[in-house]
Amino acid sequence: MEQSVDIRELNERIKAESSFVDLLTIEMNKVIVGQKHLVEGLLIGLLSDGHILLEGVPGLAKTLAINTLATVVDADFSRIQFTPDLLPADLLGTMIYSQKNEEFVMKKGPIFTNFVLADEINRAPAKVQSALLEAMQERQVTIGDTTHKLEEPFLVMATQNPIEQEGTYPLPEAQVDRFMLKIVISYPQKEEEQMIIRHNLAQSFPKASSILKPDDIIRARKVVKDVYMDEKIEKYIVDIVFATRFPAKYSLEKYEEMISYGCSPRASISLSMAAKAYAFIKRRGYVIPEDVRAVCHDVLRHRIGLSYEAEANNITSIDVINDILNTVEVP
Amino acid sequence: MNRITLVKNIKQWSKQLGFVALFTLAIGVSAKAQEVSATATLDSTLIFIGGQIDLKLELSQPGDLQVNFPHFTDTITKNIEIIEKGGVDSLRMDNNRLVLSQLYRITSFDSGLHYIPPIEFEIIQNEVRNIAASNALSLMVVNPFQVVNPEDGVTDIKGPQDAPFKIVEILRYIYLYGGILLGLGLIVWLILYLRKNRTEGGLSFSKPKPTEPPHIIALRELDKIKESKLWEHDKVKEFYTEVSNTIRNYIEHRYEQPALEQTSIEIFDSLKSVDMDKTSMEQLTQILELADLVKFAKFQPLPDENGLTLMNSYFFVNQTKVEEIKTLEEEKEEFLAKESEAEEGDSDEK
């Protein structure tokens, strides 16, 4: 009986705490037309303290989305264009000699902010990618002898262009795994595109208002962690992740030769956290299988390694995930 | 007799004695040599040009005698070439004699009658060399080809000669490749057999298709749940899990929807395309939504709600089941079967 009271209390608390979600979505939608999935993904990443890798052709409002999010949350925002000649110091900062004070002083890099947009991350060499990904993981940066904590909330949204692969440095699998979500953005619908034209040709471009403080996000993150996840849901997540590793055990023998490596335990953690955040966005105090399925594609798509055989058969990681979801029993 | 004459005589006697000793030794060696017999034989005395035959050298000698076989390198005679040279084979006989033999594979590329002179074996005893010779041989080499007459003019190159096909020639390949194919076939069969067994053996999650109608299975399962009275034993979560699984299983086989792999909302969506009355849909919604709350949100329903869920489950299955329509023949067979059973019962009572 006590458990039932807890969950009811939690539900109430979450309903109260998640009230900003609707406001935030409205403000985002003022500026971003369509791309509901992108906005939802940004919210999930923001609430579950995970970073996002965005893949989409240029001109799909990736930069605008994160800029708007920073405005709505009243947080700092940096955009770093990754280029082949970028150095880790350009990103993290460095020690420079001050002639006035006759001493070395630290010059912080653009990573010292709340929201970072790492534009075209695959255009910079591996050392810069490593510097960013290390900062993402550790939430701190060491310059000289001093370690500096990064600001909270800290959200990195990196973009990748699926075309123009020449002269790029693709992210290694181990580093891609550090992104909680990989969101693939597609073109807007006809009506949405029409609306985009109207917005851009109007006298004044719509602007989002600041409705939240970074502290609100930090508090919301704590509540998200409290969202109840039943043992059955945990087992469901484990089954999905295991099916990527041992497909034959889940009647998916056809993928046995096509998956070169399955998802890591980090995928299970990310899937659980993202499912909790999704439940929070839906203003629920508990996770249901729908939540897991809703975030499953974005969490797992970049964590499944496909073999050449799969590529030859035009099998994508999304096909694998779809088949897994259609095969693993829902609790 | 003076001293000089005596010395001369002694020298003369010793010379004569040496001659006698040497003569005796020569007689002995000659006797031994006569105990050695050498023979040379050919497989055939007639071959075609390039044909191959064996030349066998055989030597019978006393066991303690050292006899050297002749050492041929490439040819036996000018016209006879050696293709292969065998080792010396020995056979000890009962009478302390030794029979040694050696084989030479020979050929000739010159037609005509070739003479093979006696082949000599060297006998060495007490540093004295003697010779044992074999018999002489002759070999006729025949040219089977037509003799080209230059006066006939230039003619075209003759094509390859047809050789008759013999199964023996490819027999070993048949054995080899046949064996490999058989082995591969066995491996493939074994893999398929193991896979089939693994799938059927419960290692995978594939579901066997039930033989009974889905509503029969569902109602039987609901009866079991009712009898077990799980919620009365404080196992509410298990009760709702069982009820939800039974209903999902029923939908899966009744409507052929993958309900076990779908969430509740997905099930409602997929059943929209099915002709289902509103009441049944409401009952299903009540069952699955309440089950989700209990399963995933620690919800504690009232006892009345448990009863209602079970009742709705029975109603849902009964309202949506497909009645089996029997043909007249099937009904007749069933009736006759019942009749015969009743008659058997009566006879047993009597």
Side-chain angles (χ1 to χ4, degrees):
Chain A
M1 216 44 197
E2 195 183 29
Q3 285 179 336
S4 144
V5 172
D6 278 346
I7 205 86
R8 210 165 290 162
E9 270 182 6
L10 182 65
N11 253 335
E12 292 303 318
R13 189 152 67 96
I14 278 161
K15 273 181 187 164
E17 292 286 345
S18 63
S19 56
F20 73 84
V21 172
D22 291 340
L23 284 174
L24 192 142
T25 312
I26 290 166
E27 288 302 320
M28 291 284 287
N29 288 344
K30 273 187 194 172
V31 182
I32 310 291
V33 179
Q35 306 295 9
K36 194 184 163 199
H37 184 63
L38 168 65
V39 175
E40 212 168 64
L42 281 175
L43 266 175
I44 292 169
L46 188 67
L47 292 168
S48 52
D49 202 8
H51 306 289
I52 300 160
L53 181 63
L54 275 177
E55 197 174 277
V57 291
L60 290 179
K62 298 188 287 277
T63 313
L64 185 64
I66 195 155
N67 204 347
T68 310
L69 185 69
T71 309
V72 173
V73 184
D74 195 17
D76 294 331
F77 163 70
S78 290
R79 179 180 183 276
I80 309 160
Q81 182 65 45
F82 277 51
T83 52
D85 59 348
L86 196 74
L87 294 170
D90 298 333
L91 185 75
L92 307 177
T94 187
M95 302 292 284
I96 55 167
Y97 186 71
S98 165
Q99 287 186 334
K100 187 181 168 188
N101 301 323
E102 294 183 340
E103 62 180 7
F104 279 97
V105 290
M106 199 194 81
K107 172 108 176 82
K108 284 184 176 177
I111 203 164
F112 288 90
T113 187
N114 294 118
F115 298 142
V116 180
L117 174 67
D119 223 352
E120 298 195 87
I121 191 170
N122 54 344
R123 295 229 175 262
K127 57 187 176 183
V128 185
Q129 293 174 356
S130 294
L132 174 70
L133 295 164
E134 199 182 330
M136 280 162 57
Q137 186 73 20
E138 306 297 330
R139 311 273 167 159
Q140 60 183 30
V141 170
T142 304
I143 300 167
D145 298 332
T146 324
T147 300
H148 305 270
K149 285 261 177 204
L150 292 172
E151 293 178 38
E152 282 291 337
F154 178 65
L155 172 71
V156 173
M157 191 173 82
T159 68
Q160 266 192 169
N161 190 342
I163 53 172
E164 296 172 22
Q165 292 299 311
E166 206 174 324
T168 60
Y169 302 85
L171 289 171
E173 285 80 5
Q175 297 195 344
V176 175
D177 197 42
R178 294 185 190 182
F179 286 99
M180 183 185 214
L181 307 171
K182 180 180 177 182
I183 300 169
V184 176
I185 316 169
S186 54
Y187 291 110
Q189 301 292 315
K190 270 186 179 177
E191 296 77 19
E192 291 167 353
E193 190 116 6
Q194 211 174 341
M195 191 67 78
I196 292 166
I197 295 170
R198 281 183 198 167
H199 275 198
N200 281 275
L201 296 185
Q203 290 296 330
S204 58
F205 192 81
K207 279 185 181 171
S209 315
S210 178
I211 54 159
L212 284 172
K213 296 282 173 199
D215 287 346
D216 296 329
I217 298 299
I218 293 165
R219 202 173 57 248
R221 280 181 181 177
K222 285 178 185 160
V223 181
V224 167
K225 280 190 176 168
D226 287 341
V227 170
Y228 173 69
M229 182 180 278
D230 195 80
E231 194 190 355
K232 284 177 184 291
I233 303 288
E234 287 171 358
K235 281 182 182 166
Y236 183 49
I237 289 170
V238 170
D239 270 339
I240 290 171
V241 171
F242 265 64
T244 66
R245 296 177 201 165
F246 314 107
K249 288 186 179 175
Y250 293 83
S251 302
L252 291 166
E253 287 88 356
K254 63 176 174 177
Y255 292 128
E256 190 72 7
E257 299 300 321
M258 294 192 183
I259 299 176
S260 53
Y261 59 90
C263 297
S264 64
R266 199 183 269 152
S268 307
I269 299 165
S270 297
L271 194 52
S272 314
M273 276 307 295
K276 281 189 172 191
Y278 191 81
F280 180 87
I281 290 170
K282 297 293 170 191
R283 308 184 77 175
R284 241 185 295 106
Y286 55 92
V287 180
I288 56 173
E290 273 90 350
D291 303 328
V292 179
R293 288 169 84 101
V295 295
C296 195
H297 292 89
D298 291 340
V299 175
L300 301 188
R301 79 168 90 220
H302 54 296
R303 301 173 199 266
I304 298 172
L306 297 175
S307 64
Y308 289 115
E309 200 180 337
E311 282 179 28
N313 288 304
N314 285 331
I315 301 286
T316 62
S317 55
I318 289 299
D319 296 326
V320 177
I321 296 166
N322 282 339
D323 273 355
I324 287 173
L325 290 180
N326 290 334
T327 309
V328 175
E329 277 191 24
V330 175
Chain B
M1 200 184 288
N2 59 13
R3 186 182 165 88
I4 297 165
T5 315
L6 186 63
V7 170
K8 265 185 183 175
N9 283 343
I10 288 169
K11 276 185 180 173
Q12 204 172 354
W13 290 340
S14 63
K15 231 178 215 178
Q16 283 169 356
L17 201 65
F19 277 126
V20 169
L22 199 65
F23 180 73
T24 314
L25 190 69
I27 294 255
V29 169
S30 173
K32 278 276 182 187
Q34 279 169 5
E35 287 176 14
V36 174
S37 70
T39 53
T41 48
L42 282 169
D43 282 354
S44 169
T45 53
L46 184 82
I47 59 165
F48 287 135
I49 279 184
Q52 298 177 5
I53 50 166
D54 285 340
L55 167 67
K56 188 178 185 183
L57 305 182
E58 206 166 41
L59 190 75
S60 175
Q61 59 162 92
D64 55 347
L65 193 67
Q66 188 193 341
V67 181
N68 289 336
F69 269 64
H71 183 68
F72 297 112
T73 50
D74 296 331
T75 56
I76 300 286
T77 65
K78 191 177 74 179
N79 299 318
I80 299 172
E81 294 177 20
I82 296 169
I83 295 168
E84 197 181 332
K85 183 182 174 183
V88 177
D89 198 12
S90 63
L91 179 67
R92 191 168 287 279
M93 308 301 284
D94 291 340
N95 53 1
N96 197 28
R97 286 185 70 80
L98 203 60
V99 176
L100 301 169
S101 63
Q102 189 176 21
L103 271 180
Y104 284 91
R105 175 68 53 85
I106 58 168
T107 187
S108 177
F109 296 102
D110 293 317
S111 59
L113 184 66
H114 302 304
Y115 172 70
I116 301 173
I119 294 163
E120 293 180 346
F121 297 82
E122 190 184 45
I123 303 164
I124 296 167
Q125 196 176 36
N126 299 332
E127 295 182 357
V128 176
R129 184 174 170 273
N130 211 337
I131 297 294
S134 73
N135 52 309
L137 293 166
S138 60
L139 177 65
M140 183 68 189
V141 180
V142 179
N143 183 2
F145 307 110
Q146 197 183 350
V147 179
V148 178
N149 185 2
E151 289 176 4
D152 293 346
V154 179
T155 51
D156 199 7
I157 298 169
K158 211 173 179 181
Q161 201 172 357
D162 284 337
F165 173 74
K166 290 176 182 170
I167 193 84
V168 183
E169 291 171 9
I170 60 160
L171 207 58
R172 64 179 181 147
Y173 296 106
I174 291 174
Y175 288 143
L176 179 70
Y177 292 113
I180 290 170
L181 279 175
L182 196 71
L184 284 174
L186 268 172
I187 291 166
V188 169
W189 176 82
L190 197 69
I191 290 167
L192 289 175
Y193 177 79
L194 287 175
R195 274 195 178 181
K196 194 182 167 192
N197 270 14
R198 192 171 60 169
T199 315
E200 286 172 357
L203 280 171
S204 67
F205 290 91
S206 57
K207 291 159 279 186
K209 203 166 182 176
T211 48
E212 288 177 298
H215 67 271
I216 301 285
I217 299 168
L219 291 172
R220 190 168 59 228
E221 287 298 315
L222 288 173
D223 285 343
K224 274 187 200 170
I225 296 165
K226 193 180 173 184
E227 280 168 24
S228 62
K229 293 179 180 175
L230 284 168
W231 80 82
E232 287 179 15
H233 297 107
D234 207 22
K235 290 182 177 173
V236 182
K237 198 168 171 179
E238 283 84 346
F239 167 73
Y240 278 92
T241 305
E242 294 281 320
V243 171
S244 155
N245 281 348
T246 305
I247 296 298
R248 279 166 196 266
N249 214 5
Y250 168 71
I251 292 169
E252 178 138 342
H253 294 112
R254 165 66 180 84
Y255 295 105
E256 293 184 348
Q257 298 285 343
L260 285 168
E261 290 81 32
Q262 286 180 325
T263 63
S264 302
I265 293 167
E266 285 169 345
I267 292 171
F268 302 144
D269 283 344
S270 58
L271 289 179
K272 275 178 188 168
S273 58
V274 173
D275 185 25
M276 187 183 284
D277 63 291
K278 199 182 164 189
T279 322
S280 300
M281 191 53 116
E282 281 172 1
Q283 284 164 345
L284 181 67
T285 311
Q286 186 275 327
I287 297 162
L288 294 184
E289 281 186 350
L290 187 58
D292 280 355
L293 279 174
V294 176
K295 283 194 290 180
F296 309 127
K298 291 184 176 180
F299 183 73
Q300 292 286 337
L302 298 167
D304 291 352
E305 286 178 307
N306 301 333
L308 180 70
T309 303
L310 197 59
M311 199 170 70
N312 277 346
S313 302
Y314 274 113
F315 278 136
F316 176 75
V317 174
N318 281 317
Q319 280 164 1
T320 54
K321 71 181 176 185
V322 179
E323 285 288 358
E324 210 177 342
I325 301 163
K326 288 175 184 167
T327 60
L328 275 173
E329 282 179 7
E330 281 173 338
E331 279 186 2
K332 195 178 167 185
E333 274 178 20
E334 203 175 316
F335 177 75
L336 287 171
K338 278 182 185 172
E339 285 277 299
S340 63
E341 270 179 27
E343 279 175 14
E344 277 174 17
D346 288 345
S347 61
D348 286 344
E349 277 174 21
K350 283 173 187 176

